[in-house]
Amino acid sequence: GVSRALSDPWRPMRVRGDGSVSAMHSSPSQEKAAEAPIRAAAELSLAKNIVYSALGGVAGATAVYPLDMAKTQLQMDAAGKYSGLFDCFGKVAKAEGMGALYRGLPANIIGIMPEKTIKLAGNDFFRQQFKVDDKTVYPEGNVLREGASGGLAGACQIIVTTPMEITKIRMQMYEPAPGETVNQMKVLSNMVNEMGIRGMYQGTVSTFMRDVPFSIVYFSLYGIFRRKLADDNGKISPLGALGASTCAGIVGASGSTPLDVIKTRLQAKTAPGVAPYKGWLPTVSRIVAEEGAAALFKGVGPRTIIISPLFGIALMVKETLSNWFP
């Protein structure tokens, strides 16, 4: 009774009528599910992992890009020009046309492929090194090591994320001259030439400060949700992957919004007459002093709406391709 039950403290207990305790026995299907290894993308070949990660990233980023555009506009709106997400959509579309909501997409796609490859494939690599998916080592997973895997992947990606983010943000904030037909690749080329290599890495620290905490939270939660939704063979359905990653994204994205606002202010080109933001802590102090602490959560709605389906679609595509073409 009690001694046997206590030998495995995680096994469900049954209390008998006489007050004694015994362990409840799992059904064969439950035991099979508990013993089945979670099929990690780390089992894929390196080439497939890179390709599937890149395709997932492009699919997710393209689907949510107008929301990303609006988020940047809201986060840079120190003057209170926009009252919210839909007001921002309406004013940008009215002033510049619907195509303006996709301004900066080419730069984003160029950067998102290596960025998501490093993040997703890197996470798989570190999970493999930490034996997170080895059931003989961690039968129920290990949240701390999953978080560490995600955090390290997030740290590695900033070599690509920083230049991608600064060019994307500046393209999103670009104001064309009256009657100008925007050639996005030409504008992007001019921006890159103007900034130079050093300028492309402006805001590296703020990018690190945003991406590492987000990745720790996101991949920890995704691992938990994925284990709950995986089948007996450790595979997860497309809808399961979408649901698990979306839920993890909601928590990670909303909680890291202040870090994203700080990064955006440091990387965006300020309006004429407005002093540029310099330094991580001075930027925090300036935002709070000039606009109040609530300004650190500007764009929290669009960011949460962006990140959740972006990672959801990216991981759904990757998991689906992994199941179809293992």
Side-chain angles (χ1 to χ4, degrees):
V2 175
S3 60
R4 183 181 176 186
L6 293 178
S7 66
D8 182 1
W10 301 110
R11 179 174 294 200
M13 304 297 176
R14 176 186 292 113
V15 181
R16 296 194 183 99
D18 61 1
S20 62
V21 180
S22 65
M24 292 175 63
H25 295 284
S26 301
S27 66
S29 62
Q30 287 174 323
E31 290 178 353
K32 182 180 179 183
E35 294 170 1
I38 296 295
R39 185 184 180 282
E43 295 176 15
L44 294 170
S45 68
L46 178 61
K48 287 183 178 179
N49 207 331
I50 289 172
V51 171
Y52 297 169
S53 297
L55 290 175
V58 170
T62 303
V64 302
Y65 193 79
L67 289 166
D68 196 1
M69 169 72 167
K71 179 204 67 132
T72 300
Q73 296 284 339
L74 288 168
Q75 289 183 339
M76 287 301 298
D77 185 26
K81 179 180 177 181
Y82 305 112
S83 61
L85 176 62
F86 293 106
D87 182 54
C88 180
F89 276 145
K91 286 180 177 175
V92 171
K94 183 178 180 180
E96 305 174 46
M98 290 297 293
L101 296 173
Y102 287 90
R103 190 167 57 234
L105 179 60
N108 197 44
I109 288 178
I110 291 170
I112 205 75
M113 288 190 285
E115 193 241 21
K116 284 295 176 284
T117 297
I118 293 172
K119 194 181 196 84
L120 300 182
N123 177 62
D124 291 334
F125 170 78
F126 289 117
R127 288 177 69 91
Q128 195 172 40
Q129 298 307 303
F130 293 153
K131 302 185 184 300
V132 175
D133 299 296
D134 188 339
K135 288 292 185 179
T136 62
V137 180
Y138 300 110
E140 301 298 328
N142 186 296
V143 175
L144 292 179
R145 288 180 179 247
E146 284 176 322
S149 300
L152 288 169
C156 291
Q157 76 176 57
I158 64 172
I159 192 172
V160 175
T161 306
T162 304
M164 179 196 77
E165 285 280 303
I166 195 168
T167 51
K168 180 190 73 173
I169 288 169
R170 295 201 175 193
M171 285 292 293
Q172 289 174 337
M173 296 301 296
Y174 179 77
E175 294 185 4
E180 177 186 358
T181 300
V182 178
N183 182 326
Q184 293 203 43
M185 295 309 295
K186 183 178 179 180
V187 173
L188 176 62
S189 178
N190 290 338
M191 283 184 177
V192 171
N193 290 333
E194 179 186 339
M195 288 187 290
I197 297 297
R198 185 175 179 180
M200 294 276 285
Y201 281 90
Q202 179 181 324
T204 298
V205 172
S206 59
T207 303
F208 180 91
M209 295 286 283
R210 180 198 67 172
D211 286 353
V212 172
F214 167 81
S215 299
I216 290 172
V217 173
Y218 176 82
F219 284 109
S220 296
L221 292 176
Y222 180 70
I224 293 171
F225 296 144
R226 190 188 191 284
R227 280 191 292 276
K228 297 291 185 184
L229 297 172
D231 63 18
D232 289 357
N233 297 315
K235 293 185 178 182
I236 189 169
S237 69
L239 285 179
L242 179 63
S245 50
T246 298
C247 290
I250 289 172
V251 179
S254 57
S256 60
T257 295
L259 304 173
D260 190 48
V261 171
I262 296 163
K263 184 196 72 67
T264 300
R265 296 291 178 100
L266 285 166
Q267 291 185 319
K269 199 171 184 177
T270 54
V274 178
Y277 293 87
K278 294 182 179 180
W280 199 85
L281 287 175
T283 297
V284 176
S285 301
R286 179 176 166 184
I287 292 172
V288 173
E290 294 179 356
E291 304 168 53
L296 292 171
F297 283 90
K298 280 189 172 182
V300 63
R303 173 168 166 76
T304 303
I305 297 171
I306 292 164
I307 296 297
S308 304
L310 189 159
F311 275 88
I313 293 169
L315 279 166
M316 179 181 70
V317 169
K318 183 177 180 181
E319 294 273 11
T320 301
L321 291 172
S322 299
N323 289 337
W324 287 354
F325 309 105

PDB file of all heavy atoms in Angstrom, residues 225-246:
ATOM      1  N   PHE A 225       3.339  22.058 -23.746  1.00  0.00           N
ATOM      2  CA  PHE A 225       2.092  21.873 -24.503  1.00  0.00           C
ATOM      3  C   PHE A 225       2.241  20.764 -25.542  1.00  0.00           C
ATOM      4  O   PHE A 225       1.308  19.985 -25.776  1.00  0.00           O
ATOM      5  CB  PHE A 225       1.688  23.176 -25.196  1.00  0.00           C
ATOM      6  CG  PHE A 225       1.355  24.300 -24.239  1.00  0.00           C
ATOM      7  CD1 PHE A 225       1.675  25.608 -24.547  1.00  0.00           C
ATOM      8  CD2 PHE A 225       0.734  24.039 -23.026  1.00  0.00           C
ATOM      9  CE1 PHE A 225       1.368  26.651 -23.669  1.00  0.00           C
ATOM     10  CE2 PHE A 225       0.426  25.059 -22.141  1.00  0.00           C
ATOM     11  CZ  PHE A 225       0.745  26.360 -22.470  1.00  0.00           C
ATOM     12  N   ARG A 226       3.417  20.677 -26.167  1.00  0.00           N
ATOM     13  CA  ARG A 226       3.617  19.670 -27.207  1.00  0.00           C
ATOM     14  C   ARG A 226       3.523  18.260 -26.623  1.00  0.00           C
ATOM     15  O   ARG A 226       2.923  17.372 -27.233  1.00  0.00           O
ATOM     16  CB  ARG A 226       4.981  19.864 -27.872  1.00  0.00           C
ATOM     17  CG  ARG A 226       5.160  19.014 -29.136  1.00  0.00           C
ATOM     18  CD  ARG A 226       6.586  19.075 -29.649  1.00  0.00           C
ATOM     19  NE  ARG A 226       6.672  18.477 -30.973  1.00  0.00           N
ATOM     20  CZ  ARG A 226       6.660  17.174 -31.218  1.00  0.00           C
ATOM     21  NH1 ARG A 226       6.546  16.314 -30.190  1.00  0.00           N
ATOM     22  NH2 ARG A 226       6.749  16.702 -32.447  1.00  0.00           N
ATOM     23  N   ARG A 227       4.122  18.053 -25.455  1.00  0.00           N
ATOM     24  CA  ARG A 227       4.058  16.730 -24.821  1.00  0.00           C
ATOM     25  C   ARG A 227       2.617  16.329 -24.514  1.00  0.00           C
ATOM     26  O   ARG A 227       2.258  15.163 -24.601  1.00  0.00           O
ATOM     27  CB  ARG A 227       4.896  16.707 -23.547  1.00  0.00           C
ATOM     28  CG  ARG A 227       6.381  16.531 -23.783  1.00  0.00           C
ATOM     29  CD  ARG A 227       7.129  16.238 -22.492  1.00  0.00           C
ATOM     30  NE  ARG A 227       7.125  17.391 -21.601  1.00  0.00           N
ATOM     31  CZ  ARG A 227       7.988  18.392 -21.680  1.00  0.00           C
ATOM     32  NH1 ARG A 227       8.905  18.404 -22.631  1.00  0.00           N
ATOM     33  NH2 ARG A 227       7.937  19.409 -20.831  1.00  0.00           N
ATOM     34  N   LYS A 228       1.803  17.310 -24.147  1.00  0.00           N
ATOM     35  CA  LYS A 228       0.406  17.019 -23.818  1.00  0.00           C
ATOM     36  C   LYS A 228      -0.394  16.621 -25.062  1.00  0.00           C
ATOM     37  O   LYS A 228      -1.353  15.850 -24.969  1.00  0.00           O
ATOM     38  CB  LYS A 228      -0.244  18.244 -23.181  1.00  0.00           C
ATOM     39  CG  LYS A 228       0.367  18.682 -21.852  1.00  0.00           C
ATOM     40  CD  LYS A 228       0.094  17.689 -20.749  1.00  0.00           C
ATOM     41  CE  LYS A 228       0.602  18.190 -19.401  1.00  0.00           C
ATOM     42  NZ  LYS A 228       0.410  17.178 -18.338  1.00  0.00           N
ATOM     43  N   LEU A 229      -0.002  17.175 -26.230  1.00  0.00           N
ATOM     44  CA  LEU A 229      -0.797  16.988 -27.437  1.00  0.00           C
ATOM     45  C   LEU A 229      -0.237  15.937 -28.391  1.00  0.00           C
ATOM     46  O   LEU A 229      -0.905  15.575 -29.356  1.00  0.00           O
ATOM     47  CB  LEU A 229      -0.914  18.330 -28.190  1.00  0.00           C
ATOM     48  CG  LEU A 229      -1.641  19.451 -27.436  1.00  0.00           C
ATOM     49  CD1 LEU A 229      -1.520  20.773 -28.193  1.00  0.00           C
ATOM     50  CD2 LEU A 229      -3.111  19.093 -27.225  1.00  0.00           C
ATOM     51  N   ALA A 230       0.979  15.446 -28.136  1.00  0.00           N
ATOM     52  CA  ALA A 230       1.590  14.464 -29.033  1.00  0.00           C
ATOM     53  C   ALA A 230       0.878  13.120 -28.929  1.00  0.00           C
ATOM     54  O   ALA A 230       0.312  12.770 -27.891  1.00  0.00           O
ATOM     55  CB  ALA A 230       3.073  14.304 -28.699  1.00  0.00           C
ATOM     56  N   ASP A 231       0.900  12.351 -30.022  1.00  0.00           N
ATOM     57  CA  ASP A 231       0.261  11.030 -30.014  1.00  0.00           C
ATOM     58  C   ASP A 231       1.221   9.983 -29.447  1.00  0.00           C
ATOM     59  O   ASP A 231       2.299  10.307 -28.947  1.00  0.00           O
ATOM     60  CB  ASP A 231      -0.219  10.656 -31.421  1.00  0.00           C
ATOM     61  CG  ASP A 231       0.932  10.535 -32.425  1.00  0.00           C
ATOM     62  OD1 ASP A 231       2.102  10.404 -31.990  1.00  0.00           O
ATOM     63  OD2 ASP A 231       0.676  10.579 -33.643  1.00  0.00           O
ATOM     64  N   ASP A 232       0.819   8.715 -29.527  1.00  0.00           N
ATOM     65  CA  ASP A 232       1.617   7.634 -28.947  1.00  0.00           C
ATOM     66  C   ASP A 232       2.999   7.512 -29.584  1.00  0.00           C
ATOM     67  O   ASP A 232       3.922   6.983 -28.980  1.00  0.00           O
ATOM     68  CB  ASP A 232       0.880   6.299 -29.087  1.00  0.00           C
ATOM     69  CG  ASP A 232      -0.332   6.221 -28.162  1.00  0.00           C
ATOM     70  OD1 ASP A 232      -0.539   7.171 -27.392  1.00  0.00           O
ATOM     71  OD2 ASP A 232      -1.064   5.210 -28.229  1.00  0.00           O
ATOM     72  N   ASN A 233       3.113   7.971 -30.835  1.00  0.00           N
ATOM     73  CA  ASN A 233       4.393   7.899 -31.532  1.00  0.00           C
ATOM     74  C   ASN A 233       5.223   9.164 -31.377  1.00  0.00           C
ATOM     75  O   ASN A 233       6.260   9.319 -32.005  1.00  0.00           O
ATOM     76  CB  ASN A 233       4.166   7.615 -33.023  1.00  0.00           C
ATOM     77  CG  ASN A 233       3.510   6.264 -33.245  1.00  0.00           C
ATOM     78  OD1 ASN A 233       3.910   5.275 -32.636  1.00  0.00           O
ATOM     79  ND2 ASN A 233       2.498   6.228 -34.107  1.00  0.00           N
ATOM     80  N   GLY A 234       4.727  10.082 -30.556  1.00  0.00           N
ATOM     81  CA  GLY A 234       5.460  11.322 -30.334  1.00  0.00           C
ATOM     82  C   GLY A 234       5.244  12.377 -31.393  1.00  0.00           C
ATOM     83  O   GLY A 234       5.890  13.422 -31.377  1.00  0.00           O
ATOM     84  N   LYS A 235       4.321  12.129 -32.343  1.00  0.00           N
ATOM     85  CA  LYS A 235       4.053  13.100 -33.401  1.00  0.00           C
ATOM     86  C   LYS A 235       2.903  14.010 -32.980  1.00  0.00           C
ATOM     87  O   LYS A 235       2.048  13.613 -32.196  1.00  0.00           O
ATOM     88  CB  LYS A 235       3.725  12.400 -34.719  1.00  0.00           C
ATOM     89  CG  LYS A 235       4.898  11.639 -35.312  1.00  0.00           C
ATOM     90  CD  LYS A 235       4.545  11.066 -36.672  1.00  0.00           C
ATOM     91  CE  LYS A 235       5.734  10.337 -37.283  1.00  0.00           C
ATOM     92  NZ  LYS A 235       5.419   9.800 -38.636  1.00  0.00           N
ATOM     93  N   ILE A 236       2.890  15.212 -33.544  1.00  0.00           N
ATOM     94  CA  ILE A 236       1.842  16.174 -33.219  1.00  0.00           C
ATOM     95  C   ILE A 236       1.162  16.615 -34.504  1.00  0.00           C
ATOM     96  O   ILE A 236       1.810  16.787 -35.539  1.00  0.00           O
ATOM     97  CB  ILE A 236       2.438  17.385 -32.457  1.00  0.00           C
ATOM     98  CG1 ILE A 236       1.323  18.291 -31.930  1.00  0.00           C
ATOM     99  CG2 ILE A 236       3.433  18.154 -33.303  1.00  0.00           C
ATOM    100  CD1 ILE A 236       1.819  19.352 -30.953  1.00  0.00           C
ATOM    101  N   SER A 237      -0.153  16.769 -34.463  1.00  0.00           N
ATOM    102  CA  SER A 237      -0.907  17.152 -35.651  1.00  0.00           C
ATOM    103  C   SER A 237      -0.628  18.610 -35.996  1.00  0.00           C
ATOM    104  O   SER A 237      -0.165  19.388 -35.141  1.00  0.00           O
ATOM    105  CB  SER A 237      -2.406  16.964 -35.395  1.00  0.00           C
ATOM    106  OG  SER A 237      -2.857  17.919 -34.448  1.00  0.00           O
ATOM    107  N   PRO A 238      -0.918  19.037 -37.236  1.00  0.00           N
ATOM    108  CA  PRO A 238      -0.740  20.442 -37.598  1.00  0.00           C
ATOM    109  C   PRO A 238      -1.515  21.387 -36.685  1.00  0.00           C
ATOM    110  O   PRO A 238      -0.987  22.405 -36.242  1.00  0.00           O
ATOM    111  CB  PRO A 238      -1.258  20.513 -39.036  1.00  0.00           C
ATOM    112  CG  PRO A 238      -1.013  19.139 -39.581  1.00  0.00           C
ATOM    113  CD  PRO A 238      -1.269  18.218 -38.425  1.00  0.00           C
ATOM    114  N   LEU A 239      -2.771  21.034 -36.376  1.00  0.00           N
ATOM    115  CA  LEU A 239      -3.566  21.886 -35.487  1.00  0.00           C
ATOM    116  C   LEU A 239      -3.014  21.875 -34.069  1.00  0.00           C
ATOM    117  O   LEU A 239      -3.046  22.890 -33.366  1.00  0.00           O
ATOM    118  CB  LEU A 239      -5.030  21.432 -35.490  1.00  0.00           C
ATOM    119  CG  LEU A 239      -5.844  21.786 -36.741  1.00  0.00           C
ATOM    120  CD1 LEU A 239      -7.271  21.260 -36.610  1.00  0.00           C
ATOM    121  CD2 LEU A 239      -5.865  23.294 -36.977  1.00  0.00           C
ATOM    122  N   GLY A 240      -2.489  20.725 -33.654  1.00  0.00           N
ATOM    123  CA  GLY A 240      -1.876  20.647 -32.326  1.00  0.00           C
ATOM    124  C   GLY A 240      -0.646  21.530 -32.231  1.00  0.00           C
ATOM    125  O   GLY A 240      -0.449  22.241 -31.240  1.00  0.00           O
ATOM    126  N   ALA A 241       0.186  21.494 -33.276  1.00  0.00           N
ATOM    127  CA  ALA A 241       1.385  22.338 -33.305  1.00  0.00           C
ATOM    128  C   ALA A 241       1.000  23.808 -33.310  1.00  0.00           C
ATOM    129  O   ALA A 241       1.621  24.634 -32.628  1.00  0.00           O
ATOM    130  CB  ALA A 241       2.232  22.005 -34.533  1.00  0.00           C
ATOM    131  N   LEU A 242      -0.035  24.137 -34.096  1.00  0.00           N
ATOM    132  CA  LEU A 242      -0.501  25.528 -34.155  1.00  0.00           C
ATOM    133  C   LEU A 242      -1.010  25.984 -32.796  1.00  0.00           C
ATOM    134  O   LEU A 242      -0.686  27.080 -32.323  1.00  0.00           O
ATOM    135  CB  LEU A 242      -1.606  25.664 -35.209  1.00  0.00           C
ATOM    136  CG  LEU A 242      -2.223  27.056 -35.384  1.00  0.00           C
ATOM    137  CD1 LEU A 242      -1.177  28.041 -35.872  1.00  0.00           C
ATOM    138  CD2 LEU A 242      -3.400  27.001 -36.364  1.00  0.00           C
ATOM    139  N   GLY A 243      -1.798  25.126 -32.141  1.00  0.00           N
ATOM    140  CA  GLY A 243      -2.352  25.479 -30.840  1.00  0.00           C
ATOM    141  C   GLY A 243      -1.286  25.615 -29.767  1.00  0.00           C
ATOM    142  O   GLY A 243      -1.278  26.578 -28.996  1.00  0.00           O
ATOM    143  N   ALA A 244      -0.349  24.663 -29.722  1.00  0.00           N
ATOM    144  CA  ALA A 244       0.705  24.688 -28.709  1.00  0.00           C
ATOM    145  C   ALA A 244       1.593  25.915 -28.865  1.00  0.00           C
ATOM    146  O   ALA A 244       1.912  26.613 -27.893  1.00  0.00           O
ATOM    147  CB  ALA A 244       1.557  23.420 -28.799  1.00  0.00           C
ATOM    148  N   SER A 245       1.996  26.201 -30.096  1.00  0.00           N
ATOM    149  CA  SER A 245       2.902  27.329 -30.323  1.00  0.00           C
ATOM    150  C   SER A 245       2.195  28.662 -30.160  1.00  0.00           C
ATOM    151  O   SER A 245       2.795  29.640 -29.702  1.00  0.00           O
ATOM    152  CB  SER A 245       3.538  27.227 -31.709  1.00  0.00           C
ATOM    153  OG  SER A 245       2.572  27.013 -32.702  1.00  0.00           O
ATOM    154  N   THR A 246       0.910  28.710 -30.512  1.00  0.00           N
ATOM    155  CA  THR A 246       0.153  29.958 -30.351  1.00  0.00           C
ATOM    156  C   THR A 246      -0.010  30.297 -28.871  1.00  0.00           C
ATOM    157  O   THR A 246       0.187  31.447 -28.462  1.00  0.00           O
ATOM    158  CB  THR A 246      -1.228  29.852 -31.029  1.00  0.00           C
ATOM    159  OG1 THR A 246      -1.045  29.633 -32.435  1.00  0.00           O
ATOM    160  CG2 THR A 246      -2.034  31.121 -30.830  1.00  0.00           C
TER     161      THR A 246
END
